[in-house]
Amino acid sequence: MTTTAVTATNVEPFALTDAEQAFFETNGYVGPFTLYQPEEMEQIWNRARRQVFDRSHAVYDIDMHSGPNNIANYDRHLDVPFLAQHVARPEIVNKLKSALGPDILCWRTEFFPKYGGDEGTDWHQADTFAMASGKPQIIWPETGFGGTVTVWTAFTEASEKTACLKFQPGTHKKMLYDEMKKMTYDLNRVNRTIKDGVRSGFFGYAYEELLIDPNVKPEESKKVTIPMKAGQFVMFWSTLCHASNPNDADANVLRLGFASRYVPPYVKIYPDTTMIEEYGAALSLDKYGAVLVAGKDNYGINRLLKSTTRGTPFGAAAAA
């Protein structure tokens, strides 16, 4: 199993403490931690979102109207300088070393917007990220399952009313879902489903279609909610059962999360495929590459990028 703890010396700044590492190993998540103050985060995002709106340097050519949580949100750290810097911040990376070791790739980022009135995200786990297309996007060399460590940063406040995350502690060591089963994409499901009394869906998919045993599923009563101020982040294994509350605020109140996903360099990224096919759209991986954010890549099995499409060097890659 790939979630075996990495021995930590805790000598680097921002590394997990022994207590934090023990909590992470047991529960599958740790945090929140403060990276930016709320006012700082607001100012940073006000500047950065102008570049996010400009897709002239984005690595994926896609219609911006491809659907809810459209995959045009993917991998903007590959062209937006602030996001490129954010994914490699030592406050994040030095904590990741406790789980992944000294050598780390950032292989995916995503924005997760929830507008006022939007449903919550349904309970789910991700091991290979094959759930939408049936094609594994990451494969660990060991037997068993691996997943990725996700760092989810609140770019705006995420309260219990405004779609904060929720976890099922300790569920990261056993998959309840078979990602190779087929999910059917239906845009008409969005914001129209109530599960266990909660407005909850999965961006046009029905995640329960992947349950290994339909009688064994995450129970809402066992949730732990994770409210966060703007500028805070939480890290968790993608194999942890996780979800989010609905955004019950007014229509003009946006909750915006930014997820960055990390693996060691020996994990195969997008093996045997040249496309991402999800949410009713398909993206070519021609311009894609992972980013080295810590240590070295001694394996050479994944394509790496050393700078953004705007020419900004990635810190770890430029120094390697």
Side-chain angles (χ1 to χ4, degrees):
M1 172 169 180
T2 57
T3 54
T4 301
V6 173
T7 301
T9 60
N10 290 341
V11 296
E12 290 185 296
F14 312 117
L16 293 180
T17 66
D18 291 341
E20 289 168 342
Q21 183 170 337
F23 185 92
F24 181 68
E25 292 167 12
T26 299
N27 294 283
Y29 75 95
V30 65
F33 304 100
T34 298
L35 180 54
Y36 314 101
Q37 293 301 318
E39 300 80 7
E40 179 188 12
M41 184 75 255
E42 182 178 8
Q43 293 173 359
I44 290 171
W45 177 238
N46 282 341
R47 294 192 299 268
R49 65 181 177 182
R50 298 168 189 167
Q51 292 178 321
V52 172
F53 290 146
D54 175 8
R55 293 192 56 81
S56 61
H57 291 79
V59 296
Y60 304 126
D61 297 323
I62 188 170
D63 183 351
M64 285 297 288
H65 301 287
S66 58
N69 188 43
N70 63 63
I71 53 180
N73 283 327
Y74 281 14
D75 293 332
R76 297 306 305 275
H77 68 292
L78 298 181
D79 71 288
V80 176
F82 162 66
L83 299 178
Q85 179 190 49
H86 170 80
V87 300
R89 288 285 296 251
E91 295 92 333
I92 292 173
V93 171
N94 288 355
K95 288 178 172 57
L96 292 168
K97 291 177 182 178
S98 298
L100 298 175
D103 307 318
I104 302 174
L105 302 180
C106 178
W107 72 277
R108 161 82 69 80
T109 63
E110 301 162 62
F111 283 106
F112 285 103
K114 292 284 186 187
Y115 297 92
D118 279 355
E119 66 188 2
T121 300
D122 204 5
W123 290 108
H124 61 288
Q125 296 169 294
D127 170 14
T128 66
F129 289 77
M131 57 276 194
S133 66
K135 297 178 181 179
Q137 296 181 0
I138 55 172
I139 297 179
W140 290 68
E142 296 90 348
T143 58
F145 68 95
T148 188
V149 177
T150 296
V151 172
W152 198 99
T153 305
F155 277 20
T156 63
E157 182 181 12
S159 67
E160 295 209 22
K161 182 178 180 179
T162 57
C164 71
L165 295 181
K166 51 188 179 183
F167 298 141
Q168 301 264 336
T171 56
H172 57 300
K173 297 181 180 181
K174 182 179 180 180
M175 291 293 289
L176 302 182
Y177 303 92
D178 178 358
E179 291 175 292
M180 297 306 291
K181 287 186 174 182
K182 183 67 176 177
M183 283 197 300
T184 304
Y185 180 69
D186 183 356
L187 188 58
N188 292 322
R189 288 192 180 111
V190 176
N191 286 330
R192 296 179 182 177
T193 306
I194 298 177
K195 299 176 183 177
D196 296 325
V198 179
R199 293 188 299 110
S200 182
F202 197 79
F203 316 112
Y205 291 102
Y207 213 87
E208 62 269 20
E209 293 177 1
L210 302 185
L211 282 168
I212 296 171
D213 182 345
N215 297 313
V216 179
K217 59 183 179 179
E219 299 177 33
E220 188 71 20
S221 62
K222 296 181 180 180
K223 70 180 179 183
V224 173
T225 55
I226 312 293
M228 284 190 277
K229 297 179 181 178
Q232 291 188 313
F233 70 90
V234 63
M235 59 181 272
F236 61 95
W237 280 107
S238 60
T239 53
L240 182 72
C241 288
H242 57 288
S244 73
N245 283 348
N247 187 347
D248 290 327
D250 294 338
N252 62 346
V253 177
L254 169 66
R255 186 230 69 183
L256 184 63
F258 182 74
S260 44
R261 307 187 188 277
Y262 303 87
V263 292
Y266 53 79
V267 173
K268 293 181 180 179
I269 301 169
Y270 296 121
D272 304 319
T273 185
T274 60
M275 303 289 292
I276 308 174
E277 299 176 65
E278 296 176 344
Y279 308 111
L283 304 178
S284 169
L285 292 168
D286 286 350
K287 299 178 183 178
Y288 169 83
V291 176
L292 184 68
V293 297
K296 298 180 180 180
D297 176 9
N298 295 318
Y299 299 88
I301 59 176
N302 298 302
R303 184 194 311 172
L304 302 186
L305 298 180
K306 291 194 172 184
S307 63
T308 71
T309 56
R310 298 175 187 265
T312 303
F314 294 114

